[in-house]
Amino acid sequence: MSPDELVYLGVLAASIPVGFLFRYLSPPVKQGATLLLGLSITIATCQIHALHSLVTVIGTWIIIKSTWRSAPALCLGWTFLYLLFFRLVTWFDLPAPTPFANAIQLLLTLKMVSLANEVQSYHLEKKKEVSSFSKSPVIGGLSAEPSLYDILSYSYCYVGIMTGPFFRFQTFVDWLRQPSPLALPAVVPCLQRLKLVPVYGALFLAVNSVFPLGYVHTDDFLNRNFFFRLFYMTAVFFVFRMRFYAAWCGAEAGCISAGLGCYPEGAMSKPGGGPTVSYSPDPNAPVPYDFKTIQNIDCYNTDFCVKVRHGMRYWNMTVQWWLHHYIYPNSPFKAYTLRAGWTMFISAYWHGLHPGYYLSFLTIPLCIAAESAMEASVRARLGPGGQSAFDWVHWFLKMRAYDYMCMGFVLLKAGDTVHYWTSIYFIVHVFAVGCIAFGWLAGGGKRGEKRGEKEEGKVEEVESKDKLKEDIRAKQD
């Protein structure tokens, strides 16, 4: 492991026992302590580069105070433009930021954009309350506009400050105001989330030692046979997954120990977003709780879901929620595949400026179009047994597609990525284009596009129904 990885590991490991101590603190003390600890971590790991995050926070606060109506768009532009400056600081003869500063800046960007949207929603609902003389039924809305101190506390909250998961400002406020944090589940769910971390870590170290990424750059690698070169991307993606499985499960355990993101199961919380329905538990009955709000990875479904589009939902789940709510709906395109492409482009930009990110992320819409075409032209015409066989083949190809795209994500440089893809004859690109062509010739192209839009529509429909139910309940009350 590199020195940087050891620092990440140390911060993650320390956050778990510290989280249990935070349960004993009162809300004001908890808020001050989380800010102090988060700032200490930031300054210790970033030194002078901690100023980047501070400038981002102050700029967001000024925008929100100046014009809450336009704050979401302006904050998105501000934080994303600052990301560009942050990554090009060496052009201005400034020192390059540390990897820790980059990690903090990435998560801070998500928080500031989300905060601006939450503040706008607060003001809009407040205006509705004044005009209608009734309380707003919005779920998880703010009760007051945050102060600069509140924003700083949220921005530098020590929980997940470098590793995630992302959580909304309202989730942070709910955590501070928990009435009985010591009564909430802690040890059992924390151990449940940690139980496989040693396995993931051991597999990461073992397989990485046998299949190092650097070997891809050597001439000896190109002299190996085609099937070995093709298999190598599977090993690299396995190492990639084990590394993040271990890190994100550990980060979730840090949230669980502190009680962050703990809500009753009846609140039907979503990763990143939090509760989706109002829930008033029976005071005479035991209340089951969950930590879905801070769940960032579903290891099983990441590996065993069938479709490329579904694979994204189970990976970095809180960030996927952010993209789905703040980027995807505002896409300049209407077609599902193009909207997905736009979202992946923004995701690539958020990750960095390395061409490998864009080559990888922008391959996803191509794969989605391919699977939609084949589902409409082939799967839809099969019986139950045929569809089951189709799904197994689909799952296998989905995993190989992610193996292929992972190489761009880890190689980073355009030349290195294209060099590897050339060595395996751009097999996923060629196969995906072939599937799309076959689907269109078989008459499944348009149906496949509509199928993708329909699946996305189902998700939005469920969210709309949840909101409608709350509106009805509010009127009945």
Side-chain angles (χ1 to χ4, degrees):
M1 296 179 71
S2 68
D4 288 347
E5 288 175 327
L6 290 174
V7 172
Y8 280 118
L9 179 61
V11 171
L12 277 177
S15 68
I16 297 172
V18 167
F20 289 111
L21 297 178
F22 266 75
R23 290 176 177 248
Y24 290 90
L25 305 180
S26 64
V29 176
K30 184 189 289 189
Q31 184 173 3
T34 190
L35 172 59
L36 181 61
L37 183 54
L39 271 175
S40 299
I41 294 171
T42 301
I43 294 171
T45 57
C46 305
Q47 290 93 42
I48 190 65
H49 304 293
L51 288 174
H52 289 294
S53 59
L54 183 61
V55 170
T56 304
V57 173
I58 298 298
T60 301
W61 174 69
I62 292 173
I63 291 173
I64 290 174
K65 295 298 289 184
S66 302
T67 171
W68 60 264
R69 289 183 181 276
S70 304
L74 291 176
C75 285
L76 181 65
W78 157 245
T79 54
F80 270 55
L81 282 174
Y82 197 88
L83 268 182
L84 182 63
F85 167 74
F86 176 82
R87 286 158 179 162
L88 299 177
V89 289
T90 54
W91 289 18
F92 302 93
D93 295 326
L94 295 172
T98 65
F100 310 111
N102 180 63
I104 291 171
Q105 195 70 26
L106 287 178
L107 288 162
L108 189 62
T109 298
L110 303 181
K111 286 182 174 181
M112 294 300 96
V113 174
S114 177
L115 176 66
N117 279 272
E118 289 182 80
V119 171
Q120 184 195 59
S121 296
Y122 160 73
H123 282 287
L124 291 175
E125 294 305 321
K126 189 177 180 181
K127 288 175 70 70
K128 288 181 183 178
E129 288 179 16
V130 171
S131 60
S132 64
F133 301 100
S134 62
K135 189 176 180 180
S136 170
V138 170
I139 307 303
L142 302 182
S143 59
E145 183 175 321
S147 65
L148 178 58
Y149 175 62
D150 294 331
I151 295 174
L152 286 168
S153 303
Y154 169 57
S155 302
Y156 290 106
C157 176
Y158 85 93
V159 184
I161 191 168
M162 290 193 297
T163 57
F166 157 77
F167 50 89
R168 297 165 63 235
F169 179 75
Q170 185 60 54
T171 302
F172 174 71
V173 171
D174 291 343
W175 174 58
L176 294 178
R177 298 176 180 173
Q178 285 172 341
S180 304
L182 289 172
L184 298 176
V187 176
V188 173
C190 189
L191 292 177
Q192 183 72 15
R193 207 59 183 138
L194 286 173
K195 66 181 182 181
L196 289 178
V197 169
V199 177
Y200 297 142
L203 289 172
F204 161 70
L205 294 173
V207 180
N208 188 50
S209 66
V210 179
F211 298 97
L213 180 63
Y215 185 57
V216 176
H217 298 286
T218 65
D219 293 333
D220 185 52
F221 177 80
L222 295 177
N223 293 329
R224 305 295 291 263
N225 65 67
F226 168 77
F227 293 103
F228 178 84
R229 299 196 301 269
L230 185 64
F231 169 77
Y232 212 87
M233 67 181 189
T234 300
V236 168
F237 185 45
F238 180 84
V239 170
F240 185 81
R241 295 202 310 280
M242 294 304 107
R243 180 180 179 225
F244 279 96
Y245 286 176
W248 282 336
C249 287
E252 288 179 35
C255 295
I256 293 169
S257 68
L260 177 65
C262 185
Y263 292 100
E265 289 182 0
M268 299 177 65
S269 301
K270 289 189 176 181
T276 58
V277 299
S278 291
Y279 180 69
S280 299
D282 183 353
N284 299 319
V287 180
Y289 289 87
D290 64 40
F291 289 88
K292 289 186 180 298
T293 300
I294 51 85
Q295 184 180 4
N296 207 34
I297 186 69
D298 184 332
C299 304
Y300 177 84
N301 280 310
T302 296
D303 282 352
F304 294 105
C305 70
V306 172
K307 302 180 183 182
V308 171
R309 65 166 60 89
H310 292 168
M312 294 186 294
R313 296 178 186 173
Y314 302 114
W315 176 270
N316 210 357
M317 296 165 75
T318 59
V319 175
Q320 297 303 328
W321 181 92
W322 186 92
L323 289 168
H324 178 75
H325 281 76
Y326 302 133
I327 302 300
Y328 182 85
N330 299 315
S331 168
F333 307 104
K334 291 185 177 181
Y336 170 73
T337 302
L338 293 178
R339 294 177 81 181
W342 170 258
T343 305
M344 290 301 99
F345 175 78
I346 297 299
S347 180
Y349 176 81
W350 177 75
H351 279 87
L353 299 179
H354 297 290
Y357 292 144
Y358 299 85
L359 290 171
S360 294
F361 278 110
L362 294 179
T363 301
I364 291 176
L366 179 69
C367 294
I368 290 175
E371 69 181 7
S372 296
M374 291 302 289
E375 284 177 330
S377 62
V378 178
R379 190 182 189 280
R381 300 172 182 177
L382 299 174
Q387 289 186 352
S388 178
F390 179 96
D391 289 343
W392 276 106
V393 174
H394 192 171
W395 166 79
F396 177 82
L397 294 175
K398 180 265 296 187
M399 292 303 294
R400 304 294 74 77
Y402 277 119
D403 294 344
Y404 183 84
M405 290 182 282
C406 177
M407 295 304 292
F409 203 91
V410 297
L411 291 172
L412 298 178
K413 295 181 179 179
D416 292 341
T417 303
V418 172
H419 183 70
Y420 175 76
W421 283 352
T422 301
S423 75
I424 56 172
Y425 309 109
F426 290 91
I427 187 169
V428 169
H429 282 99
V430 172
F431 191 79
V433 171
C435 288
I436 293 172
F438 178 85
W440 277 96
L441 290 173
K446 292 183 179 179
R447 291 200 302 272
E449 179 67 31
K450 290 180 180 178
R451 183 186 294 268
E453 293 174 354
K454 186 181 293 185
E455 285 198 13
E456 191 62 33
K458 285 180 180 178
V459 175
E460 295 174 355
E461 183 181 351
V462 169
E463 293 177 352
S464 298
K465 286 182 177 178
D466 289 341
K467 188 176 185 303
L468 180 60
K469 288 177 182 177
E470 283 308 304
D471 291 342
I472 294 172
R473 285 195 196 116
K475 290 178 182 178
Q476 290 175 343
D477 293 341

